[in-house]
Amino acid sequence: MGRSDRNGELAGRVALITGAARGMGAAEARLLHASGAAVVITDLLAEEGAALAAELGDGALFVEHDVTDEKQWQATVDAAVRRFGRLDVLVNNAGIYSTRPLVEETAERFELLYRVNLIGPFLGIKAVVPALRAAGGGSIVNISSTAGMTAFPAHAAYGAAKWAMRGLTRVAALELGPDRIRVNSVHPGAVSTPMIADIVRRAENGKQSGPSPLRRFGEPEEVAELVLFLASDRSSYINGGEFAVDGGTLAGRDA
């Protein structure tokens, strides 16, 4: 099914996407909006988030939002329902990436990565459940990482949070399935976004290929395609699943 054939498949749906001012979140917002969904774009990057909402026009709302703040989560969900009348999809995309050898890691940095990359999605799931139940069900897509499926050096804090997201996703899938709320996780590999811009730049300057067997970095739109699939009725019997978008990086590892 080509992209043009999918336009309108999310018509009448409302999706809330965190960390959507740029990178993968912005690509997800654009694709879901192009597929007919109203989109609630949330981020701390207010200028970029508002610009994206203005670019998309009708059916797009920007909310400045700290995912670690439980009260802000409730206010954001309320704003979505007030503006669009319902909520059907949550994409827990917001995250921060930082690496450091284990013996050099600090408790403060560890806690920060955990709060944004794990506590934030946990609060989001709790916040959206009443609205998704009221809509008759829905889809929650948690953006994890290949670092949540296998170990990488210097990823103690980031990797631990992303591994924990797998457990959170599975428990949520079991508990919310009876409400027709599906919960799945997506595990991108190295994707060319502002979050890893330095890594991409160093590779390009060194005339190196990307880190995957495909010898390139992934693109945000390639992750967005999977998010759209999981948000749509095409994945209606997929719940508690884990999906790598990594160009084969995990193929030679015990994931």
Side-chain angles (χ1 to χ4, degrees):
M1 182 180 288
R3 178 175 295 186
S4 61
D5 297 322
R6 294 199 302 269
N7 287 344
E9 72 173 313
L10 294 184
R13 311 281 178 88
V14 180
L16 192 163
I17 307 162
T18 67
R22 62 183 187 178
M24 287 191 296
E28 292 152 11
R30 287 189 175 98
L31 184 55
L32 269 60
H33 185 267
S35 299
V39 292
V40 181
I41 298 161
T42 90
D43 211 302
L44 287 175
L45 300 173
E47 185 174 342
E48 293 174 72
L52 178 57
E55 171 196 320
L56 296 180
D58 291 342
L61 170 69
F62 172 70
V63 179
E64 189 172 352
H65 175 209
D66 178 355
V67 297
T68 69
D69 187 314
E70 189 166 10
K71 290 182 179 179
Q72 287 192 33
W73 262 111
Q74 190 56 58
T76 299
V77 172
D78 289 346
V81 174
R82 185 166 57 249
R83 173 71 174 272
F84 297 118
R86 59 186 292 147
L87 186 62
D88 304 272
V89 177
L90 168 65
V91 183
N92 273 316
N93 173 81
I96 56 176
Y97 178 73
S98 180
T99 61
R100 184 176 290 183
L102 177 63
V103 295
E104 298 175 14
E105 191 57 270
T106 66
E108 291 77 16
R109 277 172 38 88
F110 198 104
E111 182 176 357
L112 174 62
L113 266 71
Y114 238 72
R115 286 194 60 77
V116 176
N117 295 340
L118 181 64
I119 303 300
F122 159 71
L123 294 174
I125 293 170
K126 285 187 63 179
V128 304
V129 164
L132 267 58
R133 283 174 172 162
S139 174
I140 296 172
V141 183
N142 293 326
I143 306 298
S144 181
S145 168
T146 50
M149 300 187 83
T150 192
F152 293 99
H155 282 65
Y158 182 81
K162 293 301 188 178
W163 274 88
M165 186 183 278
R166 292 176 70 185
L168 175 65
T169 299
R170 291 186 179 196
V171 171
L174 293 175
E175 292 190 9
L176 301 179
D179 293 310
R180 299 183 64 192
I181 298 171
R182 300 180 295 107
V183 190
N184 295 286
S185 60
V186 171
H187 298 257
V191 176
S192 182
T193 68
M195 193 165 71
I196 65 164
D198 289 342
I199 297 173
V200 175
R201 190 177 304 112
R202 286 197 299 270
E204 291 174 345
N205 291 342
K207 308 297 183 184
Q208 298 172 359
S209 60
S212 76
L214 294 181
R215 295 295 184 261
R216 66 176 178 87
F217 289 87
E219 296 298 331
E221 293 76 15
E222 293 174 303
V223 179
E225 290 285 351
L226 179 55
V227 171
L228 171 61
F229 172 72
L230 293 173
S232 75
D233 290 341
R234 289 182 291 137
S235 59
S236 58
Y237 201 55
I238 298 177
N239 186 34
E242 300 168 345
F243 302 90
V245 189
D246 68 346
T249 300
L250 294 176
R253 290 173 173 260
D254 182 12

